[in-house]
Structures are given as C-alpha cells and as structure tokens.
Amino acid sequence: MRPDQPGAVRPEHPGATSPNDTPTLRRPAVSDAARLWEIARDTDVLDLNSSYSYLLWCRDFAETSVVAEHDGRVGGFVTGFVRPTDPTTVFVWQVAVDDALRGRGVASAMLNFLLDHLAHQGVSTLETTISPDNTGSQALFASVARSRYTSISTRKLFDSNDFPDQHEPEELYVIGDDSNRGEQ
Ligand SMILES: CC(C)(COP(=O)(O)OP(=O)(O)OC[C@H]1O[C@@H](n2cnc3c(N)ncnc32)[C@H](O)[C@@H]1OP(=O)(O)O)[C@@H](O)C(=O)NCCC(=O)NCCS
C-alpha cells in the first residue's frame, strides 16, 4: 500500500509542523525490507535478524505489519503476526523508529493502526515480549494500553537460559483480554 492509496493514514502528532511533516502509515512492501533491516540495525538494542527474514516478513506478513514513511523514506516499522494457535491475538515481533522521528507518537500510532485494522478480523489482544531493561518499550506499550482504555499484564516467557547465546530474559506483555487464554 502506497501513502496515496486508500487505507494509508497520516497520524496527527504534536511535533508536526505541517501536514507533510506527519509520517504516513501503511503496510510494508518487499521493497521496504532493506530499510527495516537498517532501522533495526541502527537501534543498537534490537536483535538484528537476517536481511532475508525482513524480506520474507514483508512478503508474507505484510497484513500484520506497518511502516511509517516520512519525506519519502521509511522511518519506523512494526512487524507482527497473528498467532496460529490463537487467531484473536497479534504478536508484535519488533517495533522501531529512527532516532530522528522518536518522541512524536510514531510508534504508538503504528501499533494503534495495526490493532484498528485487525479488529475487523476478530483480533482483540496484542502480545509482545520486552526485556526487563527496555524501559522505553515498556512505556510505549503501557501508553498504547492506556490510550485504548484497556488492560496490560505481564509475566515471564523466555528465561536467559532458554537462549543458546547471551540474551536478556524476555517478558510477555499482553494488551487486552488476558483471561481464559491458558499458557499457550
Ligand atoms: C521504543 C521506540 C519504538 C519508541 O518510539 P517512539 O516513536 O519514540 O514512541 P512514541 O513517541 O510513540 O511514544 C509512546 C509513549 O512511550 C513513551 N516512550 C517512548 N520511548 C520512551 C523512552 N525511551 N523512555 C521513556 N518513555 C518512552 C513516550 O513518552 C510515550 O508515552 P506517553 O504516551 O505517556 O507520552 C523507539 O524508541 C525505538 O525504536 N527504540 C529502539 C528499539 C526498541 O527498543 N524497540 C522496542 C522493543 S521491540
């Protein structure tokens, strides 16, 4: 989906000085994958997955992913998938925003865009994992839960020992209905 196509939206944000200063949100195309890889690399905190995985993601999981485009360049992304064992839940794999665009509500706008667009197919819950020291990410997801007037809960998911390499634990965050879902 291109910015001028139906379905692409421009979120309002307080830092915008003109309509063109506001990023456009849309689903990714395969041609965006290299830029997603670069943004993830430049965060210095995200696990940098293979460039191939971002290509596959943009091809096969575009419907559950979002990019933010500013001045003709992608400056942020969310990658996600609907859980095969629970079609009411979207799992957000990575979210990242270029340094230059941070603090303008771009990440929260992308997450809200994702939830709004998946609601019609019955998705009502968002899951993600966050490492205990990533306070920025914790604040982001808490803010999204607040803005949607819904709950956020957390519990252990992956311990350091579960990883074959050196890795922080990853805690599960659930936005929305967390009842009767068991430990799937
Ligand atoms: C985390 C990240 C995606 C936030 O992007 P952003 O576009 O700046 O976030 P937003 O402007 O939408 O902020 C939304 C809320 O989160 C809060 N927030 C965002 N980053 C924060 C930080 N580093 N510290 C504290 N709070 C932060 C904002 O204050 C805002 O809260 P509010 O609504 O109560 O005012 C961005 O900093 C980033 O790319 N970080 C590196 C990658 C990463 O850690 N990704 C998350 C793990 S997958």
Side-chain angles (χ1 to χ4, degrees):
M1 186 188 298
R2 310 307 309 176
D4 53 352
Q5 284 182 312
V9 298
R10 291 179 178 279
E12 291 307 321
H13 65 75
T17 52
S18 72
N20 287 342
D21 198 32
T22 305
T24 301
L25 305 185
R26 61 173 171 82
R27 298 205 172 82
V30 166
S31 54
D32 296 314
R35 186 66 193 126
L36 268 55
W37 180 86
E38 283 176 1
I39 294 170
R41 177 196 63 193
D42 293 347
T43 64
D44 287 330
V45 297
L46 289 184
D47 286 341
L48 182 60
N49 300 288
S50 71
S51 49
Y52 184 75
S53 72
Y54 292 92
L55 280 161
L56 276 185
W57 216 267
C58 290
R59 177 175 187 260
D60 284 339
F61 296 94
E63 286 298 309
T64 49
S65 301
V66 186
V67 293
E69 191 172 311
H70 183 250
D71 281 346
R73 184 173 160 84
V74 169
F77 72 86
V78 171
T79 46
F81 61 90
V82 172
R83 293 193 68 213
T85 53
D86 180 3
T88 66
T89 298
V90 61
F91 186 93
V92 168
W93 177 39
Q94 289 190 316
V95 47
V97 173
D98 229 11
D99 253 347
L101 286 180
R102 287 187 192 167
R104 298 172 166 207
V106 174
S108 44
M110 289 192 295
L111 291 168
N112 280 313
F113 178 93
L114 183 68
L115 282 168
D116 291 345
H117 281 76
L118 291 176
H120 75 274
Q121 65 182 63
V123 171
S124 54
T125 303
L126 181 154
E127 284 188 356
T128 195
T129 68
I130 308 177
S131 54
D133 61 357
N134 195 338
T135 51
S137 189
Q138 290 157 16
L140 165 64
F141 284 94
S143 162
V144 169
R146 239 182 358 259
S147 71
R148 302 183 75 86
Y149 303 100
T150 190
S151 60
I152 183 165
S153 58
T154 181
R155 58 179 181 266
K156 286 183 183 174
L157 186 64
F158 302 130
D159 191 53
S160 295
N161 295 331
D162 293 327
F163 293 90
D165 51 357
Q166 285 264 324
H167 203 291
E168 291 279 290
E170 289 282 344
E171 290 169 349
L172 183 70
Y173 284 71
V174 182
I175 294 180
D177 186 11
D178 193 20
S179 59
N180 304 319
R181 296 178 348 113
E183 289 298 320
Q184 301 168 0

